[in-house]
Amino acid sequence: MIEQLIAEATECDFKVALEIKKPKSWLKSVSSFSNGIGGTLFFGISDDRKPIGLSDVQKDAEAISRLIKERITPLPQFILKPLQEDGKNLLVLEVSPGRSTPYYYKADGVMEAYIRVGNESVIAPDYIVNELILKGTNQSFDTLTTDAVKKDYSFTLLEATYLERTGLRFEPSDYVSFGLTDKNGLMTNAGKLMTDQHTVYNSRMFCTRWNGLGKGSIFDDALDDKEYEGNLIYLLNSGSEFIRNNSKVRFVKKAQYRVDKPDYAERAVTEALVNALIHRDYIVLGSEIHIDMFDDRVEITSPGGMFGGGSIQEYDIYSIRSMRRNPVIADLFHRMKYMERRGSGLRKIVSETEKLPGYTEAYKPEFSSTATDFRVILKNVNYIMCGASVHDAAHDTAHDAAHDTSVISKQNLLLEFCADPKSRDEMQAYIDVSSRSHFSKYYLKPLLSSGKLEMMFPDKPKSKNQKYTTVHSK
């Protein structure tokens, strides 16, 4: 019974006994569960989930109810029930996710709101408290009215993009009906995020193409870096362009045609960037979206964890319920056909990536979140996971980089081609590699070292008449 309850709990904590003199030790969990996705406290159970039992269940139950009512404000919804396991008396406190956030622990002259970070309850930072306040009053950052007057700003990019993507003109009345201004012409935060001018400081995107598989010094290890700020459509276009400019479209030659092999699915990139722009937390001062490109992947990180609490790792993306941190922005992007309303963005990222030539399960996109950020990782399907990357050969010609496919598949082609002895020039021409150093490093030397290929004149390795042939197993 207890194992089933633990398995069904969204979050859980275990207490061997009820702390009466130091109730904050467990009341902070009540606060964090209420401010998040709910959770369960098990009293009379050790951290290793062994039932220890409580000596006076009735007395402890009364104390739990009393302390919650006295020290958690507003009063959260909870269910307290007794349970027996292996003859031990236990108490199970189920706390529901609250609608009147934030829920504070209030005692000893302090008032603190808690959130869950991993399996701990920690004091919520100010920006998360601010977001909880908005959530508790059924408001969002993008719906708040500002003192900025619409007539003082321009919306050229918004109106042009709306016309291009919908075929409709952006009428003056649309600003009010779409939630970008109020009836008096004062802009909401959503409106400010769509002006041609940079009016929301946190509306920024930092992009870096790192050299290799990890971060280093921006001055020594970055192949390209850009900073963008302003209108959300401008950020979307700029982020897409940065990724496109720092990735390649290779191709595989077939008998009568060729198959294009882009590093990343364009629609998946768009979905990931739209997700970052509309679901990010704009309250966090000094924050921005980060695009970090490496040889083998793109990481898109946005401020703000899962809206409503929890982490994306705990959810099945195919059944996750759509919750919008910025509903006005989300609605506008839906109208411009950048996204769907039903919250299928993460699923779309996966399905579009799966369509790429050369895709395997190893290249499946990854999603992760903490209390403070959300990250999407797109894998480069042209990166060779056995160790050699098409990006490693910086000295290769642009022609080689644009046509390189898989080292392994090309090695196999060479072994078939060299059933009859072939010269080095013939081999390079056959697999379309012009750089002699690249050919030697990734094809010729590995095949010779593995014993799959041999020289016709091993005593004269540098002979101009040297040819190579496949070693047939006996």
Side-chain angles (χ1 to χ4, degrees):
M1 171 65 77
I2 195 67
E3 287 297 330
Q4 182 179 349
L5 288 173
I6 293 172
E8 293 174 351
T10 50
E11 299 269 10
C12 58
D13 275 344
F14 304 96
K15 301 295 178 183
V16 174
L18 175 65
E19 286 276 3
I20 301 290
K21 294 183 178 180
K22 297 180 180 179
K24 186 177 180 180
S25 63
W26 57 272
L27 282 172
K28 63 183 182 181
S29 295
V30 176
S31 168
S32 66
F33 292 158
S34 300
N35 287 325
I37 57 175
T40 306
L41 270 161
F42 296 90
F43 293 93
I45 297 180
S46 62
D47 286 336
D48 56 4
R49 303 186 180 186
K50 291 182 180 179
I52 305 301
L54 300 171
S55 57
D56 194 335
V57 170
Q58 182 62 35
K59 181 181 178 181
D60 286 346
E62 291 173 356
I64 290 172
S65 297
R66 175 176 55 81
L67 287 166
I68 291 176
K69 292 173 183 176
E70 289 177 353
R71 304 200 181 189
I72 300 293
T73 184
L75 182 64
Q77 290 186 317
F78 64 91
I79 299 173
L80 183 61
K81 53 190 178 184
L83 185 71
Q84 273 205 339
E85 183 85 3
D86 297 336
K88 308 287 187 180
N89 291 318
L90 314 172
L91 281 172
V92 179
L93 176 63
E94 296 178 356
V95 182
S96 302
R99 295 182 178 179
S100 301
T101 56
Y103 291 83
Y104 295 94
Y105 169 79
K106 181 183 67 172
D108 307 319
V110 299
M111 208 168 158
E112 298 168 334
Y114 286 82
I115 58 169
R116 293 294 280 187
V117 175
N119 59 357
E120 293 184 53
S121 296
V122 301
I123 296 175
D126 289 344
Y127 69 88
I128 290 184
V129 172
N130 290 337
E131 185 174 67
L132 288 170
I133 291 171
L134 289 174
K135 179 184 172 186
T137 54
N138 291 316
Q139 297 183 90
S140 61
F141 170 80
D142 63 347
T143 62
L144 297 179
T145 303
T146 71
D147 57 2
V149 182
K150 175 185 174 294
K151 64 181 179 63
D152 295 335
Y153 300 90
S154 62
F155 296 84
T156 307
L157 181 58
L158 169 62
E159 293 178 359
T161 304
Y162 190 81
L163 177 61
E164 176 189 354
R165 296 187 66 86
T166 68
L168 303 172
R169 293 194 176 278
F170 206 101
E171 301 295 340
S173 60
D174 290 337
Y175 286 94
V176 178
S177 59
F178 293 172
L180 302 183
T181 68
D182 68 6
K183 294 180 180 179
N184 299 315
L186 293 177
M187 289 196 296
T188 62
N189 281 319
K192 292 183 69 174
L193 286 165
M194 302 309 298
T195 64
D196 296 328
Q197 295 78 19
H198 181 215
T199 59
V200 179
Y201 178 72
N202 293 334
S203 184
R204 303 184 299 173
M205 182 178 287
F206 290 179
C207 308
T208 310
R209 171 58 170 99
W210 298 99
N211 183 19
L213 303 182
K215 294 181 181 181
S217 164
I218 195 73
F219 301 106
D220 300 325
D221 300 302
L223 301 177
D224 189 14
D225 70 284
K226 297 284 191 301
E227 295 183 13
Y228 305 103
E229 55 186 29
N231 178 294
L232 297 191
I233 299 173
Y234 168 71
L235 293 184
L236 173 60
N237 293 340
S238 299
S240 298
E241 183 180 18
F242 183 87
I243 293 175
R244 186 165 52 250
N245 289 343
N246 283 282
S247 54
K248 293 181 170 58
V249 178
R250 307 166 221 287
F251 63 80
V252 178
K253 293 180 179 178
K254 300 294 183 181
Q256 302 296 328
Y257 61 94
R258 76 179 196 182
V259 176
D260 288 339
K261 294 187 63 182
D263 290 349
Y264 306 98
E266 185 175 353
R267 181 62 190 274
V269 169
T270 299
E271 289 283 348
L273 290 174
V274 168
N275 183 79
L277 287 166
I278 69 172
H279 292 303
R280 63 156 291 188
D281 190 345
Y282 288 93
I283 299 176
V284 187
L285 295 178
S287 64
E288 61 276 327
I289 292 170
H290 283 261
I291 297 177
D292 292 293
M293 294 190 71
F294 305 90
D295 288 359
D296 64 338
R297 69 197 187 279
V298 172
E299 296 185 2
I300 300 172
T301 308
S302 54
M306 289 284 287
F307 185 60
S311 62
I312 189 62
Q313 298 92 306
E314 301 167 358
Y315 294 93
D316 174 7
I317 66 167
Y318 295 97
S319 60
I320 189 171
R321 181 168 62 94
S322 175
M323 295 183 69
R324 299 179 297 172
R325 177 179 267 114
N326 300 296
V328 174
I329 299 170
D331 181 66
L332 185 58
F333 270 70
H334 166 72
R335 291 176 186 275
M336 292 188 290
K337 301 177 183 178
Y338 283 117
M339 59 171 288
E340 298 177 6
R341 268 204 183 98
R342 62 189 183 200
S344 58
L346 301 188
R347 298 194 295 275
K348 196 74 173 179
I349 292 170
V350 174
S351 64
E352 290 297 319
T353 302
E354 288 174 340
K355 296 176 184 178
L356 290 173
Y359 173 84
T360 65
E361 191 70 15
Y363 297 102
K364 185 175 182 178
E366 296 178 2
F367 310 101
S368 64
S369 68
T370 66
T372 58
D373 59 45
F374 191 99
R375 179 170 301 175
V376 176
I377 300 177
L378 303 176
K379 310 288 185 64
N380 180 351
V381 298
N382 291 313
Y383 180 79
I384 301 147
M385 293 192 173
C386 63
S389 165
V390 295
H391 296 296
D392 287 341
H395 54 276
D396 286 357
T397 64
H399 177 76
D400 287 339
H403 294 71
D404 210 340
T405 56
S406 163
V407 169
I408 300 300
S409 64
K410 283 189 174 182
Q411 287 179 353
N412 291 333
L413 287 174
L414 284 175
L415 292 175
E416 293 177 10
F417 181 62
C418 292
D420 295 321
K422 298 292 190 299
S423 69
R424 176 176 180 146
D425 288 343
E426 290 174 318
M427 294 165 68
Q428 284 190 220
Y430 182 69
I431 62 171
D432 195 19
V433 174
S434 60
S435 169
R436 292 180 67 83
S437 60
H438 180 75
F439 177 78
S440 178
K441 180 177 180 180
Y442 293 112
Y443 301 100
L444 187 57
K445 287 183 179 179
L447 288 174
L448 289 171
S449 299
S450 65
K452 296 178 180 179
L453 199 70
E454 64 181 3
M455 300 179 186
M456 294 298 294
F457 310 112
D459 296 333
K460 300 178 180 179
K462 296 185 178 181
S463 170
K464 65 179 182 179
N465 298 318
Q466 186 67 260
K467 291 192 174 183
Y468 304 85
T469 186
T470 303
V471 176
H472 299 285
S473 57
K474 298 179 180 179

